[in-house]
């Protein structure tokens, strides 16, 4: 059994066995981190690991995204966005009664003091994320998936950029260097940049994963090769008893097992598992969409953000991915084809070279808390329960720092973070 010391100097005994529920990028990274420090980990998910938001996200590693989604003045912008049927925000009216309390909490979180507190916590979690992903990709033998060319945010003009002043001020507060560009500067970085954008803001110290699914699968492969156990099953409940944690799936052999610790990394599905334990976790799915055009990745050299459209554009291994928007409609409603079509239309208007190319559409569930700060760590009131949930639009960015925090909390502070250890064999 591994023994280290916590910050107070008291010995911390790493558990022999842990179960992680949820095999998106956060759950897989957490399983790999714990395994790296000698813990035997069982990872459980009902579907193919990495096939939810970890598959369809824009690949952005954006540690400078320290501004929560709810900022002062946001309520003034909501009616206009809702009136635009193809705008960046949509609410499924059938789901509104269930989402009402979350929406109220979201609006309340825009109070300036709450925004400042959230930004501090997000910065604390995300700092170092780019270097962490670069090191892990190299360790896994997939360094070609990591690209450090920065992120370019495009605005129609400098005055329009002032609408996002709070976010840029928070980035500057936490040390992120921003280069302001005119149209010539934009075209020097992005020769095919869409017309109509005369002002750019460039964050050189940000990164992109060029195939998020393959990245998660490479983590999973390393985990399994080193003896990690992957179980395909739907987790219906987690329950503590005098022997540890039971994970109910309907499989008699699995249901009979007990683990001293359980990590819930189930994204938007976490609240249903936690409610029977007396925890009401206010996570709402902010459903996101993307359109991907095969063979068109050459149109951008890095992650490009059309700030007025709230759309991210990224060069993927499989083509040009254009994604974004927020749809609040719950977990069970089918994808709204109009939302995906709107993303596709924005892409085609921005890049005429896409004419004649087909687009594939996708929708996924981003697990969002009202204040945008994920819940990471041990739940003091419930022995052995750990959460790694609520990362919203930044699950990829926060995945490795989150995994390290869980590992440090469970096993004690580590001399080396897990992404600096050999993980590929």
């Amino acid at each position: 059994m591994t023994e280290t010391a916590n910050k107070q100097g008291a010995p911390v005994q790493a558990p022999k066995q842990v179960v992680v529920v949820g095999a998106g990028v956060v759950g897989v990274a957490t399983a790999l981190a714990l395994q790296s420090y000698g813990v035997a980990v069982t990872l459980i998910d009902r579907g193919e690991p990495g096939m939810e938001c970890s598959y369809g996200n824009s690949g952005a590693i954006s540690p400078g995204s320290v501004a929560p989604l709810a900022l002062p003045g946001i309520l003034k912008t909501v009616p206009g966005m809702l009136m635009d049927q193809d705008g960046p925000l949509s609410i499924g009216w059938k789901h509104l009664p269930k989402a009402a309390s979350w929406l109220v909490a979201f609006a309340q979180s825009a109070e300036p003091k709450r925004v400042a507190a959230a930004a501090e916590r997000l910065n604390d979690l995300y700092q170092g994320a780019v270097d962490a992903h670069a090191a892990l990709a190299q360790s896994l033998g997939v360094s070609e998936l990591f690209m450090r060319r920065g992120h370019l945010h495009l605005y129609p003009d400098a005055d329009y950029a002032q609408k996002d002043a709070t976010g840029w001020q928070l980035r500057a507060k936490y040390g992120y260097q921003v280069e302001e560009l005119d149209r010539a500067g934009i075209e020097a970085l992005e020769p095919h940049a869409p017309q109509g954008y005369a002002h750019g803001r460039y964050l050189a110290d940000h990164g992109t994963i060029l195939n998020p699914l393959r990245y998660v699968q490479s983590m999973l492969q390393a985990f399994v090769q080193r003896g990690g156990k992957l179980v395909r099953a739907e987790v219906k409940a987690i329950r503590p008893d005098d022997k540890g944690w039971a994970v109910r799936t309907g499989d008699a052999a699995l249901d009979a097992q007990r683990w001293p610790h359980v990590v819930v990394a189930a994204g938007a599905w976490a609240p249903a598992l936690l409610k029977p334990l007396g925890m009401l976790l206010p996570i709402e799915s902010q459903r996101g969409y993307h359109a991907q055009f095969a063979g068109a990745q050459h149109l951008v050299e890095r992650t490009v953000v059309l700030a007025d459209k709230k759309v991210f554009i990224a060069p993927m291994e499989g083509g040009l991915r254009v994604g974004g928007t927020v749809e609040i409609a719950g977990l069970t409603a089918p994808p709204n084809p109009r939302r995906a079509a709107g993303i596709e239309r924005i892409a085609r208007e921005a890049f005429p070279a896409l004419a004649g190319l087909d687009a594939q559409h996708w929708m996924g569930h981003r697990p969002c808390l009202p204040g945008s700060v994920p819940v990471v760590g041990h739940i003091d009131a419930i022995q052995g329960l750990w959460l790694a949930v609520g990362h919203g639009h930044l699950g990829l960015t926060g995945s490795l720092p989150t995994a390290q925090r869980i590992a440090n909390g469970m096993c004690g502070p580590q001399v080396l973070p897990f992404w600096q250890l050999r993980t590929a064999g």
Side-chain angles (χ1 to χ4, degrees), residues 159-200:
D159 289 340
Y160 197 104
Q162 289 306 304
K163 295 181 179 182
D164 292 341
T166 299
W168 291 108
Q169 288 165 2
L170 287 170
R171 289 182 178 95
K173 176 181 178 180
Y174 291 107
Y176 291 97
Q177 301 298 312
V178 180
E179 182 181 359
E180 296 194 23
L181 304 173
D182 59 12
R183 181 65 194 184
I186 291 170
E187 292 182 354
L189 287 177
E190 292 293 340
H192 303 289
Q195 297 299 314
Y197 292 96
H199 181 79

Side-chain angles (χ1 to χ4, degrees), residues 228-292:
K229 184 177 181 181
L230 173 65
V231 176
R232 297 280 188 83
E234 181 177 359
V235 176
K236 300 176 181 178
I238 56 172
R239 296 173 185 167
D241 59 29
D242 57 357
K243 296 181 181 179
W245 283 90
V247 178
R248 305 297 186 190
T249 65
D251 181 297
L254 188 63
D255 291 355
Q257 295 185 45
R258 296 295 183 272
W259 291 269
H261 296 272
V262 58
V263 181
V264 176
W269 292 269
L273 295 176
L274 298 172
K275 186 176 180 180
L277 303 176
M279 292 190 63
L280 300 179
L281 194 66
I283 285 181
E284 180 64 49
S285 168
Q286 291 194 359
R287 294 153 48 118
Y289 290 79
H290 84 217
Q292 184 155 316

